[in-house]
Amino acid sequence: MAGKTTLTVHHHGNRHIFEFPPESTISHLADRIFSDISIPHANQKFMITPRLGILKFPFQDPLLPLSSLLNKKIVLLAPLPSELSSLSQASVASKPRQRASPIKSATPARHRDWRKVQDEATYAFGKIISLPYLPNPAKSQRFLERLSNDAGIKASMRKHKFSVGVLTEMNPAEHTTHESRTLGLNRNRGEVIELRLRTDAYDGYRDYKIIRKTLCHELAHNVFGEHDRSFWDLTTAIEKEVEENDWRAGGHALTSQEFYNPDDSGAEGEYMDGGGWTGGEFVLGGNSTSSQGTSAHGPGRRELMAQAAEERMKKQSDASRRAGG
């Protein structure tokens, strides 16, 4: 027929003759195969000889002119429509039925606040040290670590940008007189904070919430040395922040805690400290001054400060690396 492109397509021993307008492409042939023979585009594969080889939908050149296929043999490599129908039914029949699973699908992980992670690494306790020469130092270490990881304490330290070089325990014998017992001390506005964790006889530990309240008091000395109105206002604010951000407060049983002491409600003659204090050389478990900064009980102030700074830098580096990853 004049002005037409006529092609013969061989398929499973059958010859299918198609006529197209002269500007038709290989894509038009695929459409006709689908409409006339009912073979989906995705199942169509043409073997064209000589030279062109195999053309598979979607074609590398979908605008290939059909006029370029004149005088070539075109074989359609595709299942018969009846075979396609049988394959589809067999696939459905063999597909296992979906049963309701008792396991709930996983929920997407919450977005992590990397700014918070970095702040917690910066505004934190650089080093945590129990006194190794007192009974059960591992338990004291757990007490101090629990304080440092307390959600309320961490939130308040982030808010006020508090950094403490060393958090350690106080030896009760060195801060007890007939008239009073000191509960905590803060040296040089956050270089070292000491807390009285133990009972006077070393046979037990003070109640966690009382020690945490003492820590709030000592943190306020990072800003104010004297016990004036500004100091007490800040202490009250820190205590409130700690309570509000303590996620354990919501119905968590106090009796399940390792450092719960129902008989410890504070006693007459106890006081927090004498205000923020400076001077002298800090030695673990001692109050002596040393030009070398060391004692038989442990490292001195300079060594502790260097270790604390190193720990803080490591935490900040780890937080930055996780945020960047």
Side-chain angles (χ1 to χ4, degrees):
M1 185 181 294
K4 296 286 187 180
T5 299
T6 303
L7 295 177
T8 299
V9 176
H10 302 267
H11 180 235
H12 282 265
N14 298 315
R15 297 170 70 246
H16 300 274
I17 300 174
F18 301 97
E19 291 183 345
F20 298 93
E23 68 276 7
S24 300
T25 66
I26 189 72
S27 298
H28 294 109
L29 175 60
D31 293 341
R32 286 289 298 277
I33 294 290
F34 175 61
S35 62
D36 293 9
I37 310 180
S38 301
I39 296 178
H41 293 74
N43 296 103
Q44 296 180 25
K45 185 187 299 183
F46 300 96
M47 184 172 67
I48 302 174
T49 56
R51 292 195 176 180
L52 278 184
I54 293 179
L55 304 180
K56 183 179 179 181
F57 185 91
F59 309 106
Q60 185 174 0
D61 182 9
L63 300 179
L64 177 69
L66 290 182
S67 58
S68 66
L69 304 182
L70 293 173
N71 302 319
K72 294 185 183 296
K73 184 176 181 179
I74 304 173
V75 178
L76 174 60
L77 305 176
L80 292 167
S82 58
E83 294 173 340
L84 289 172
S85 177
S86 299
L87 289 171
S88 177
Q89 292 174 5
S91 175
V92 172
S94 63
K95 192 173 184 179
R97 293 182 179 179
Q98 295 290 332
R99 295 183 179 179
S101 172
I103 303 175
K104 294 182 179 179
S105 58
T107 55
R110 293 180 180 177
H111 174 69
R112 191 162 191 185
D113 186 348
W114 289 111
R115 174 62 183 273
K116 178 181 175 182
V117 172
Q118 289 179 311
D119 283 351
E120 285 185 349
T122 302
Y123 307 115
F125 301 97
K127 199 166 187 63
I128 300 192
I129 304 175
S130 57
L131 298 181
Y133 55 87
L134 295 183
N136 203 353
K139 190 170 184 178
S140 295
Q141 189 75 16
R142 290 198 302 273
F143 200 133
L144 293 169
E145 288 174 354
R146 181 180 166 191
L147 286 166
S148 72
N149 291 318
D150 187 289
I153 293 293
K154 290 168 74 173
S156 188
M157 292 183 74
R158 288 197 312 273
K159 178 178 179 179
H160 298 283
K161 302 187 186 317
F162 288 152
S163 293
V164 175
V166 177
L167 178 65
T168 187
E169 66 172 315
M170 175 186 292
N171 187 345
E174 295 174 354
H175 297 278
T176 302
T177 67
H178 290 295
E179 294 81 20
S180 65
R181 292 191 293 273
T182 302
L183 298 183
L185 291 171
N186 181 327
R187 170 179 282 276
N188 293 341
R189 296 195 173 184
E191 278 192 359
V192 178
I193 287 182
E194 292 183 70
L195 298 174
R196 188 189 195 101
L197 306 182
R198 302 169 185 265
T199 57
D200 296 346
Y202 299 96
D203 58 354
Y205 285 81
R206 308 296 306 271
D207 184 70
Y208 178 81
K209 286 200 170 184
I210 287 181
I211 303 304
R212 186 174 68 174
K213 191 171 183 178
T214 303
L215 180 54
C216 294
H217 179 108
E218 300 308 328
L219 286 173
H221 277 309
N222 278 23
V223 181
F224 300 106
E226 300 299 324
H227 289 146
D228 55 16
R229 175 46 49 197
S230 297
F231 169 84
W232 289 114
D233 287 345
L234 178 58
T235 300
T236 301
I238 294 173
E239 290 175 352
K240 184 178 179 182
E241 292 158 8
V242 168
E243 288 291 336
E244 289 176 347
N245 288 280
D246 183 5
W247 58 268
R248 294 182 180 87
H252 196 77
L254 286 175
T255 52
S256 69
Q257 299 302 321
E258 182 178 13
F259 302 107
Y260 172 64
N261 185 349
D263 298 324
D264 185 13
S265 57
E268 192 174 339
E270 292 182 336
Y271 69 101
M272 295 293 184
D273 54 35
W277 55 296
T278 59
E281 184 74 15
F282 174 79
V283 178
L284 279 180
N287 52 11
S288 61
T289 300
S290 167
S291 61
Q292 300 299 320
T294 59
S295 78
H297 289 321
R301 171 173 167 263
R302 291 189 184 92
E303 184 178 347
L304 288 174
M305 290 302 100
Q307 292 175 359
E310 185 177 350
E311 289 284 339
R312 185 162 54 249
M313 290 175 65
K314 182 177 182 297
K315 290 178 183 177
Q316 293 171 350
S317 177
D318 290 344
S320 298
R321 187 165 53 253
R322 290 198 300 271

